Amino acid sequence: MWARSLARPLLRAPLARRSVRPLLRYASSGPPGWNDAIPLPCVDQHELRERRVMAGSARAEAADDELEILGPEPSYTKVVSGYKVFRSDQDLRLDYGNVLSGFQIAYETWGELNAARDNVILLHTGLSASSHAASTPENTTKGWWEDFIGPGKALDTSKFFVICTNVLGSCYGSTGPSSPHPRDPTGAPYATRFPILSIFDMIRAQFLLLDHLGIERLYASVGSSMGGMQSIAAAHLFPERVARVVSISGCARSSPSGIALRFAQRSVLMADKNWNRGFYYGPDRVPPHKGMKLARQVATITYRSGPEWEQRFGRQRRHLLRDGASPSQRAPALCPDFLVETYLDHQGEQFCLKYDANSLIYISKSMDLFDMTDDALAELAETRMQAHGEDGNLPIETAHNRPRQPSRPHITTISHPGAHEYVPSLRRGLSRLHAVPVLILGVQSDILFPVEQQREMAESS
Amino acid sequence: MWARSLARPLLRAPLARRSVRPLLRYASSGPPGWNDAIPLPCVDQHELRERRVMAGSARAEAADDELEILGPEPSYTKVVSGYKVFRSDQDLRLDYGNVLSGFQIAYETWGELNAARDNVILLHTGLSASSHAASTPENTTKGWWEDFIGPGKALDTSKFFVICTNVLGSCYGSTGPSSPHPRDPTGAPYATRFPILSIFDMIRAQFLLLDHLGIERLYASVGSSMGGMQSIAAAHLFPERVARVVSISGCARSSPSGIALRFAQRSVLMADKNWNRGFYYGPDRVPPHKGMKLARQVATITYRSGPEWEQRFGRQRRHLLRDGASPSQRAPALCPDFLVETYLDHQGEQFCLKYDANSLIYISKSMDLFDMTDDALAELAETRMQAHGEDGNLPIETAHNRPRQPSRPHITTISHPGAHEYVPSLRRGLSRLHAVPVLILGVQSDILFPVEQQREMAESS
């Protein structure tokens, strides 16, 4: 029977064969007797990493051999180099009332800006991505959209000048919680002294970069996931500066379900003692690597869908990848056991020391707060007006001037998708996009950004 | 503008009014200045609980007032009393090769056993439920299926004798990881010395209870979620003893997606330092209350669906429940902020000290391992045969005697749902149910047990 299982041809067998070594770490010595606890190699591994990080040899402990079995994923979290930096000394007035006293934005470009300066595509990233969307002469590592950017590709660099920024609040060259607090005399990072950002704040910083580059108008504003929110937010804030919008797997209003999924990630991260209320920077501190790993595991579940996992992993268990596994190795384990668990574990490991925990918390919160209904935009504009005396291009005039809608209870009976009570308000909120060509794409098996949200956006914009 | 928001009629306004007090705990003193970190009342709260638990005053810190806003959920985790206990001294030989040297099963009953002893419904629970499915004279607290059990109700106790057990591996009166290890001279609990259980092991323990009660044949085997797995597993193991099956929101084979969701829960729990490899029992130890809270938050996301949350919470934020919230209270927070976050937080709080962490780990693992394909049943029977010299009613004869299927790669292209390569094997695995009337129900918005799984089961059984 075991022989039969092992005789099954494995996916990409040579790669699987090469992976025999790291899997051996997980072998236990035998089935537990009355006084033996179940082997917990994953707990050992976390403790080992904790000690290594404490000893100053922080490095993601990913087993590269295993990665090959699990299939390569595009890396959104490569520590990049070779990016350009735009520094601004001016105060960035933020939607929720705070001010950033100067900031910087990391960016990379592909293709050539034409003489008319009208061939610019601004590419917006997902939550944790760097500006490294594709390889450049300065950094030849493949980027996270390598297949879509280049001559003759979807973003055709023989025609277009593509700009991608590291989003404000991130940690790959742009100002974020890990940047030095400009008013802290010790030069310590902001940590949780960093202000809450809106998606619109991020867009304003990007457009200051465009000003700096002398780019008046975008050929297109393009992005997926959080970038899908930003692509439409840009056209809303600066309708005269955005000629086209492409929004992929995004939404115009974060749903309670999306908020719940991101809240779960923030919660596991903030529960890590090493998070220390955000103050984990400096040589004497350990970053919340366990919390980050767990948060990434939860996130990965929302990025991938059941049918894909059925296809990639099925119910295969890791012991089947080894020839001659002993009965104890074949015994069910509490640590990663099924291949899909190994995959999640691996995704978490890959991520946990490569991205800043506070950036994850702040940017995911910005996503939660994103709501392009007219009601929400008016509320945000009012907050902004009270703090800064300006509306920041949010449609405050609508809130002030139009007749009040009669009050409605916020809980309604939903008879069919699209019948949500907020839809008319969303349509009003997206009214500045009505004159702009908008392409909206969604993926049917998406959990985090269900296709209904893209449908809703398409019908409203 | 704020006035407009506050003027909106609130859901069940009197309840919301009553909830003003606990929410005040979350008020902060003002917007953060340059040297102020963002207020983190949720972190304060965890630290407070940790101190209280350490001080021996363990108690779930749920704010009952808030529960009222969030809507009552049936409690699956009430610490029950008034249950009966069936004790067995006989060895329970487990599918994965271990043996339980004696065990006990807590159970409750409703209705009367008739003279023919043929009116018995065995009700199987979800993962964390106690035997308290409905109120009894011994325990008048409402049970988790109160609305479905009673005279004239779905499980009509004027006709039927309903039995519900606390599942083997749990902590509400049945033997599980928190039970004393019979061979440990100090009487310490099993902890992670407890053996891995299969869903079939749980069924065998239940049928020993039925033997004890002199019940030869069930009128029906009924359950939802994990109970939906068990209801069919019972008919498979004891086809001559189960006359009918009702399986609600269950499946016949845990999918990689379900495994992933449960793995994420186990991971956050096992990452809690207080989990201590499962050895957290005793007066000098603190149970992993933070990990349990986080695990429950992740679980809750998979139990409830987006449309329901849209309806219940929308994008309402907690500050809107307070009259005269100050600007700082209205400011976006990193701690629970949107109502849906408050709900998840509350669900986690309610659960975190009421259920045994190791029971969660073991039982969720049993669910992962559940696979009624003929291939998996044959493999399990072989493991059992090697360990105990008996097949335990799993169809080992099939594995031994039938011609081997030609090997196939485990990764296939899925053209449409239901085209999974395991389906023929599932059909063979469920063949003992072909003669039994089976009712299968599913919920279209279920994330953990997608309705496709019930469809697949219905087509195969």
Side-chain angles (χ1 to χ4, degrees):
Chain A
M1 179 60 217
W2 294 114
R4 184 166 71 97
S5 299
L6 289 166
R8 283 186 197 162
L10 291 165
L11 171 70
R12 289 187 279 150
L15 296 179
R17 199 58 36 95
R18 269 194 277 154
S19 75
V20 166
R21 216 178 312 273
L23 290 171
L24 275 172
R25 286 181 312 186
Y26 294 86
S28 68
S29 54
W34 78 263
N35 58 352
D36 289 331
I38 282 183
L40 296 167
C42 52
V43 178
D44 301 338
Q45 194 190 3
H46 287 172
E47 289 175 358
L48 181 67
R49 189 174 58 234
E50 177 104 1
R51 285 197 298 275
R52 288 193 186 177
V53 175
M54 276 172 151
S57 59
R59 208 178 60 80
E61 295 291 323
D64 284 333
D65 278 352
E66 257 180 68
L67 178 63
E68 292 179 299
I69 314 171
L70 300 171
E73 305 284 337
S75 174
Y76 295 90
T77 56
K78 289 237 163 67
V79 176
V80 290
S81 59
Y83 53 78
K84 302 175 193 78
V85 175
F86 160 60
R87 284 189 186 81
S88 170
D89 289 333
Q90 85 179 81
D91 283 353
L92 190 65
R93 293 177 224 165
L94 305 174
D95 276 342
Y96 292 106
N98 286 70
V99 172
L100 271 186
S101 310
F103 66 94
Q104 67 177 47
I105 293 292
Y107 68 101
E108 292 175 65
T109 65
W110 300 264
E112 299 295 328
L113 183 60
N114 64 11
R117 295 174 173 266
D118 63 359
N119 69 333
V120 180
I121 293 175
L122 180 61
L123 174 60
H124 308 274
T125 74
L127 194 161
S128 59
S130 70
S131 57
H132 198 57
S135 53
T136 59
E138 293 78 21
N139 179 357
T140 54
T141 318
K142 282 191 177 180
W144 46 265
W145 253 27
E146 191 75 19
D147 292 345
F148 301 113
I149 302 169
K153 294 184 179 174
L155 303 190
D156 188 346
T157 52
S158 60
K159 292 184 196 163
F160 297 107
F161 181 59
V162 180
I163 305 175
C164 183
T165 73
N166 181 229
V167 78
L168 192 70
S170 187
C171 58
Y172 295 130
S174 294
T175 298
S178 58
S179 306
H181 194 306
R183 281 190 281 171
D184 186 323
T186 71
Y190 280 103
T192 42
R193 299 177 300 183
F194 197 74
I196 299 271
L197 301 175
S198 74
I199 294 289
F200 301 108
D201 293 329
M202 300 169 179
I203 299 294
R204 287 189 193 97
Q206 285 174 326
F207 275 72
L208 287 169
L209 164 65
L210 295 183
D211 290 347
H212 166 75
L213 297 174
I215 294 161
E216 178 50 34
R217 192 158 191 253
L218 296 176
Y219 181 85
S221 170
V222 176
S224 68
S225 189
M226 180 177 75
M229 298 173 168
Q230 293 178 326
S231 60
I232 60 166
H236 171 80
L237 276 191
F238 303 104
E240 72 292 349
R241 298 185 67 177
V242 177
R244 288 162 196 82
V245 168
V246 180
S247 176
I248 305 166
S249 297
C251 69
R253 170 188 172 277
S254 284
S255 67
S257 165
I259 293 170
L261 292 166
R262 284 184 291 265
F263 171 69
Q265 294 169 49
R266 289 194 298 269
S267 296
V268 295
L269 182 44
M270 290 165 63
D272 185 332
K273 261 202 160 22
N274 287 329
W275 181 62
N276 191 38
R277 295 168 188 257
F279 292 86
Y280 52 80
Y281 304 106
D284 55 337
R285 292 280 182 192
V286 176
H289 58 97
K290 267 210 277 185
M292 281 296 273
K293 178 176 172 177
L294 298 168
R296 186 58 164 198
Q297 286 181 354
V298 174
T300 304
I301 293 174
T302 70
Y303 297 159
R304 303 283 157 183
S305 74
E308 182 185 339
W309 280 341
E310 195 63 73
Q311 199 169 346
R312 284 176 73 170
F313 309 120
R315 287 180 52 86
Q316 284 279 97
R317 287 173 58 204
R318 60 187 314 154
H319 73 77
L320 292 179
L321 297 178
R322 296 195 59 238
D323 289 333
S326 71
S328 74
Q329 285 157 1
R330 293 191 306 246
L334 296 182
C335 281
D337 180 2
F338 288 94
L339 268 195
V340 66
E341 295 176 295
T342 313
Y343 168 77
L344 291 176
D345 186 77
H346 178 80
Q347 290 295 316
E349 284 289 328
Q350 285 289 88
F351 185 75
C352 72
L353 286 171
K354 290 188 182 167
Y355 188 67
D356 180 58
N358 286 334
S359 287
L360 176 62
I361 292 171
Y362 275 85
I363 299 177
S364 86
K365 183 72 196 182
S366 301
M367 292 173 74
D368 288 3
L369 292 167
F370 187 61
D371 183 353
M372 295 264 311
T373 60
D374 187 48
D375 291 336
L377 290 172
E379 192 169 310
L380 192 59
E382 182 133 337
T383 305
R384 195 176 170 89
M385 180 62 88
Q386 283 174 3
H388 306 304
E390 58 161 39
D391 66 7
N393 248 7
L394 295 160
I396 186 144
E397 67 289 355
T398 326
H400 278 310
N401 305 337
R402 74 148 193 272
R404 294 275 155 89
Q405 300 288 318
S407 297
R408 286 158 301 182
H410 78 280
I411 306 272
T412 54
T413 304
I414 296 163
S415 52
H416 63 89
H420 296 302
E421 71 141 9
Y422 59 78
V423 168
S425 179
L426 190 62
R427 202 161 290 147
R428 288 195 302 275
L430 292 171
S431 58
R432 290 192 199 162
L433 279 80
H434 290 177
V436 181
V438 178
L439 171 64
I440 292 172
L441 299 170
V443 175
Q444 279 198 310
S445 55
D446 198 328
I447 294 172
L448 189 57
F449 289 97
V451 76
E452 286 73 29
Q453 291 193 307
Q454 289 98 49
R455 204 166 277 140
E456 189 175 272
M457 191 172 15
E459 286 165 7
S460 302
S461 63
Chain B
M1 179 60 216
W2 295 112
R4 185 164 71 98
S5 300
L6 290 166
R8 285 184 197 163
L10 291 164
L11 171 70
R12 288 185 281 151
L15 296 178
R17 200 54 40 94
R18 269 195 276 153
S19 74
V20 165
R21 216 177 312 270
L23 290 172
L24 275 172
R25 286 180 314 184
Y26 294 85
S28 69
S29 55
W34 78 263
N35 59 352
D36 289 332
I38 282 184
L40 295 167
C42 52
V43 178
D44 301 338
Q45 193 190 3
H46 288 171
E47 289 175 358
L48 181 66
R49 189 173 61 234
E50 178 104 1
R51 286 198 297 277
R52 286 191 188 177
V53 174
M54 276 172 152
S57 58
R59 209 177 59 80
E61 296 291 324
D64 283 333
D65 279 351
E66 258 180 66
L67 178 62
E68 292 179 298
I69 314 171
L70 300 169
E73 306 285 336
S75 174
Y76 294 89
T77 55
K78 288 237 162 66
V79 176
V80 290
S81 59
Y83 53 78
K84 301 175 193 78
V85 175
F86 159 60
R87 285 189 184 80
S88 170
D89 290 333
Q90 85 179 81
D91 283 354
L92 190 66
R93 293 177 224 164
L94 305 174
D95 276 342
Y96 292 105
N98 287 70
V99 171
L100 271 186
S101 310
F103 66 94
Q104 67 178 46
I105 293 291
Y107 68 100
E108 292 174 64
T109 65
W110 300 263
E112 298 296 327
L113 183 61
N114 64 11
R117 296 175 172 267
D118 63 0
N119 68 332
V120 180
I121 293 175
L122 180 59
L123 174 60
H124 306 276
T125 73
L127 194 162
S128 60
S130 70
S131 58
H132 197 58
S135 52
T136 60
E138 292 78 21
N139 179 357
T140 54
T141 317
K142 281 190 177 181
W144 47 265
W145 253 26
E146 191 75 20
D147 291 345
F148 301 111
I149 301 169
K153 294 184 179 174
L155 303 190
D156 188 347
T157 53
S158 60
K159 293 183 195 164
F160 298 107
F161 181 58
V162 179
I163 305 175
C164 183
T165 73
N166 181 228
V167 78
L168 193 69
S170 186
C171 58
Y172 295 131
S174 294
T175 297
S178 58
S179 307
H181 194 306
R183 281 189 282 171
D184 186 323
T186 71
Y190 280 102
T192 41
R193 299 176 302 182
F194 197 74
I196 300 272
L197 300 175
S198 74
I199 294 288
F200 300 108
D201 293 330
M202 300 169 179
I203 299 294
R204 288 189 192 96
Q206 287 174 324
F207 275 71
L208 287 170
L209 164 64
L210 296 182
D211 290 347
H212 165 76
L213 297 174
I215 294 160
E216 179 49 36
R217 191 158 191 254
L218 295 176
Y219 181 85
S221 171
V222 176
S224 68
S225 188
M226 180 176 75
M229 297 173 168
Q230 294 179 326
S231 60
I232 61 166
H236 171 79
L237 276 191
F238 304 104
E240 72 292 349
R241 298 183 69 176
V242 177
R244 286 163 196 82
V245 168
V246 180
S247 177
I248 304 165
S249 298
C251 69
R253 171 189 173 276
S254 284
S255 68
S257 164
I259 293 170
L261 293 167
R262 283 184 291 267
F263 171 69
Q265 294 169 50
R266 289 195 298 270
S267 295
V268 296
L269 183 43
M270 289 165 63
D272 186 331
K273 262 203 160 22
N274 287 329
W275 181 61
N276 191 38
R277 295 167 188 258
F279 292 86
Y280 51 80
Y281 303 107
D284 54 336
R285 291 281 181 192
V286 176
H289 59 96
K290 266 210 276 185
M292 282 295 273
K293 178 176 172 177
L294 297 168
R296 187 58 164 196
Q297 285 182 354
V298 174
T300 304
I301 292 174
T302 69
Y303 298 159
R304 303 281 158 185
S305 74
E308 182 185 340
W309 279 342
E310 195 62 73
Q311 199 168 348
R312 283 175 72 170
F313 308 121
R315 287 180 51 87
Q316 283 278 98
R317 287 174 57 205
R318 60 188 312 155
H319 73 76
L320 292 179
L321 297 177
R322 296 195 59 237
D323 289 334
S326 71
S328 75
Q329 285 157 1
R330 292 191 306 245
L334 297 182
C335 281
D337 181 1
F338 288 94
L339 266 196
V340 67
E341 295 177 294
T342 314
Y343 168 78
L344 291 175
D345 186 76
H346 178 81
Q347 289 296 315
E349 284 288 328
Q350 285 289 87
F351 185 76
C352 72
L353 287 170
K354 289 187 183 167
Y355 188 66
D356 180 58
N358 286 334
S359 286
L360 175 62
I361 292 171
Y362 275 85
I363 299 176
S364 84
K365 182 74 196 179
S366 301
M367 291 172 74
D368 288 2
L369 292 166
F370 187 61
D371 183 355
M372 294 266 310
T373 60
D374 188 47
D375 291 336
L377 290 172
E379 192 170 312
L380 192 59
E382 182 134 336
T383 305
R384 194 177 170 87
M385 179 62 85
Q386 283 173 2
H388 307 304
E390 58 161 39
D391 67 8
N393 248 8
L394 295 160
I396 186 143
E397 65 289 356
T398 326
H400 279 310
N401 305 336
R402 75 144 194 275
R404 294 274 155 88
Q405 300 289 319
S407 298
R408 285 158 303 182
H410 78 280
I411 306 271
T412 55
T413 304
I414 296 163
S415 53
H416 63 90
H420 296 302
E421 70 142 8
Y422 59 78
V423 168
S425 179
L426 190 62
R427 203 161 288 146
R428 288 196 302 275
L430 291 171
S431 58
R432 290 193 197 159
L433 279 81
H434 290 178
V436 180
V438 179
L439 171 64
I440 292 172
L441 300 170
V443 176
Q444 280 197 311
S445 56
D446 199 327
I447 294 172
L448 189 57
F449 290 97
V451 76
E452 286 72 28
Q453 292 195 306
Q454 289 98 49
R455 205 166 276 141
E456 187 176 271
M457 190 171 17
E459 286 166 5
S460 302
S461 62

